[in-house]
Amino acid sequence: MNLTRGFQLCEDEDRQAGGEFRVRQARAEDAQDWALLRQALWPAESPEELAAEARTFFVDGDTLLEAVLLAEASDGTLLGFAELSLRPYAEDCRTSPVAFLEGWYVIPVARRQGVGRALVSASEQWARDRGCREFASDTELDNFLSSAAHRALGFEDAGALRCFRKSL
């Protein structure tokens, strides 16, 4: 998979509904390419672990994730993904379960062309189909680009947390 291949959408108003790309459920044969996208989003993580998690999602279903949506160009190039879960609680949410955007990524050459918006829109529909009334997400405190993208798509800031852990 080439993450840097040039990509350009047509400028028609139908693009989000499938003009030059579409959003679809991930399939087992997507595991390797999805893992590469995951590595681009989380470069500090082990590539082997990210790939193993992707394979596990399809084989065992034994992961936090409930669904993975992929944005795919008409030539088959994967442009991005949305990883989704159902959580019993999310910060500042009042209902349960809460649909949660666990991971969201669009390759750089496809950004600002409606791909991220289409992934989130499809994720929101996935959540509504499961009876969710709220949709939540998070990002690192210093990830200002992600914060801006979330706000542009209607997310409200639920506050900032600094989380801690301790090995026992």
Side-chain angles (χ1 to χ4, degrees):
M1 174 181 188
N2 181 351
L3 293 179
T4 60
R5 178 175 19 184
F7 175 75
Q8 185 171 2
L9 291 173
C10 62
E11 291 300 319
D12 67 3
E13 62 189 44
D14 188 40
R15 68 180 178 196
Q16 192 169 336
E20 290 293 321
F21 68 93
R22 66 185 178 124
V23 174
R24 63 170 176 82
Q25 291 277 341
R27 300 183 294 257
E29 59 267 22
D30 297 316
Q32 183 177 358
D33 288 342
W34 170 39
L36 290 173
L37 292 172
R38 298 181 91 223
Q39 183 64 47
L41 178 60
W42 297 300
E45 300 298 320
S46 158
E48 295 78 19
E49 187 173 318
L50 291 170
E53 290 171 355
R55 286 189 304 273
T56 298
F57 174 78
F58 294 109
V59 176
D60 300 331
D62 186 23
T63 67
L64 165 77
L65 300 178
E66 300 273 341
V68 176
L69 303 179
L70 298 172
E72 179 182 56
S74 57
D75 68 358
T77 301
L78 295 185
L79 305 173
F81 70 87
E83 297 180 353
L84 304 165
S85 71
L86 295 174
R87 292 187 177 187
Y89 171 81
E91 194 63 37
D92 205 32
C93 290
R94 296 169 191 81
T95 62
S96 183
V98 176
F100 201 89
L101 185 60
E102 298 289 345
W104 176 37
Y105 180 77
V106 175
I107 63 174
V109 297
R111 291 179 185 164
R112 303 191 58 79
Q113 299 184 56
V115 176
R117 180 177 298 279
L119 282 164
V120 170
S121 179
S123 298
E124 291 169 349
Q125 187 58 52
W126 176 88
R128 281 191 287 278
D129 290 347
R130 278 142 193 84
C132 295
R133 295 179 33 221
E134 293 177 287
F135 188 46
S137 184
D138 61 14
T139 190
E140 299 289 329
L141 288 174
D142 62 351
N143 191 337
F144 303 111
L145 181 63
S146 178
S147 294
H150 279 82
R151 282 192 199 94
L153 295 179
F155 284 91
E156 299 169 0
D157 196 325
L161 292 179
R162 182 154 319 263
C163 300
F164 298 91
R165 67 167 297 281
K166 183 177 181 178
S167 294
L168 297 176

